[in-house]
Amino acid sequence: MPKTMNSILDTHPDIICRYDTDLTLTYINAAAASYFGREKLDLIDQNLLAISSAEDRDAIARNICGISKTTPTITGIQHIPRNTDFEYIHWTTSGLFDDGKLIGYQSTGRDVSERHRLNEQLEEKTRSLASAEAELRTVLNAVPALIWYKDDQNNILHLNKAAAESMNMAVEDVQGQNTYDLFGEAAKAYHEDDLQVIRSGVAL
């Protein structure tokens, strides 16, 4: 590989390595050497499986077994349970072909640990929000009074069961609707009262 290209790839944060069909490493960049905890020169001509952990070997086997001319690239997320800077890696493994013949592979691993943690936090917050909304709906539905939550465009954001039943409709059929679509011009007076309250902050 040209020296300039080698230098560029060594500054790349992604793990990049190439290996032939018997899984002997032919190229590895600095990030990949760091991942394996070895010097670059010590890794060239080494068998990829021989230097890999058990979980890595399983991932490698899954990836290369799925590669063919019709499916030249395999991607997936790998969780690294051992103590490492890389906790979650998004791997892209591609077959290298010459005149249709498979001559080797290239694997690129991107550290997606932070993105994965943020997704987990988002999922947890989404679950918490859904739980809070379910509790709120239970409380609202226990109240016999008609309760509506609307925005300044008169869209119904939330309502309780009593309010929906007053229209002979289900809550899910009313929520999200605009009151003008439901009540026509009769909604205008209510809308004007609502806007007055929103502007003044004082209940009528």
Side-chain angles (χ1 to χ4, degrees):
M1 181 175 291
K3 185 176 181 180
T4 301
M5 179 60 70
N6 193 17
S7 177
I8 291 172
L9 293 179
D10 267 344
T11 62
H12 202 289
D14 288 353
I15 300 166
I16 303 172
C17 55
R18 287 190 174 193
Y19 39 100
D20 59 25
T21 53
D22 66 2
L23 306 188
T24 297
L25 285 164
T26 57
Y27 172 77
I28 191 165
N29 74 340
S34 175
Y35 174 77
F36 288 110
R38 303 269 292 275
E39 295 294 327
K40 284 180 59 178
L41 293 179
D42 293 339
L43 290 166
I44 299 300
D45 295 331
Q46 295 289 318
N47 185 277
L48 184 58
L49 295 182
I51 64 171
S52 299
S53 64
E55 59 266 21
D56 284 344
R57 288 194 292 271
D58 290 342
I60 293 166
R62 286 194 303 271
N63 288 341
I64 64 174
C65 285
I67 290 176
S68 65
K69 285 190 291 185
T70 55
T71 309
T73 299
I74 300 289
T75 63
I77 301 290
Q78 181 191 6
H79 176 220
I80 311 296
R82 64 184 184 274
N83 183 21
T84 175
D85 291 337
F86 303 94
E87 184 180 0
Y88 288 91
I89 299 177
H90 182 272
W91 287 107
T92 300
T93 299
S94 300
L96 305 175
F97 296 88
D98 185 9
D99 289 332
K101 180 182 178 182
L102 180 67
I103 59 172
Y105 306 91
Q106 175 169 298
S107 289
T108 303
R110 175 162 295 178
D111 181 11
V112 292
S113 304
E114 182 62 23
R115 185 175 71 187
H116 194 276
R117 283 191 288 270
L118 290 174
N119 285 340
E120 287 184 329
Q121 292 173 12
L122 178 59
E123 289 172 2
E124 178 58 31
K125 289 181 179 179
T126 300
R127 287 192 294 269
S128 296
L129 179 59
S131 177
E133 287 181 345
E135 291 177 5
L136 175 61
R137 183 167 299 283
T138 298
V139 172
L140 292 180
N141 286 338
V143 177
L146 309 185
I147 300 176
W148 312 75
Y149 287 87
K150 297 180 286 183
D151 63 17
D152 59 354
Q153 301 300 312
N154 234 21
N155 296 307
I156 299 170
L157 305 178
H158 296 285
L159 73 161
N160 68 347
K161 187 176 180 180
E165 287 178 345
S166 72
M167 304 166 58
N168 295 318
M169 296 178 70
V171 170
E172 56 270 21
D173 293 332
V174 180
Q175 194 163 290
Q177 297 283 343
N178 189 283
T179 55
Y180 283 101
D181 295 330
L182 294 171
F183 304 119
E185 283 301 308
K188 185 175 182 180
Y190 294 106
H191 191 196
E192 290 175 349
D193 288 343
D194 292 340
L195 291 176
Q196 183 178 340
V197 171
I198 290 173
R199 295 188 189 106
S200 67
V202 178
L204 294 177

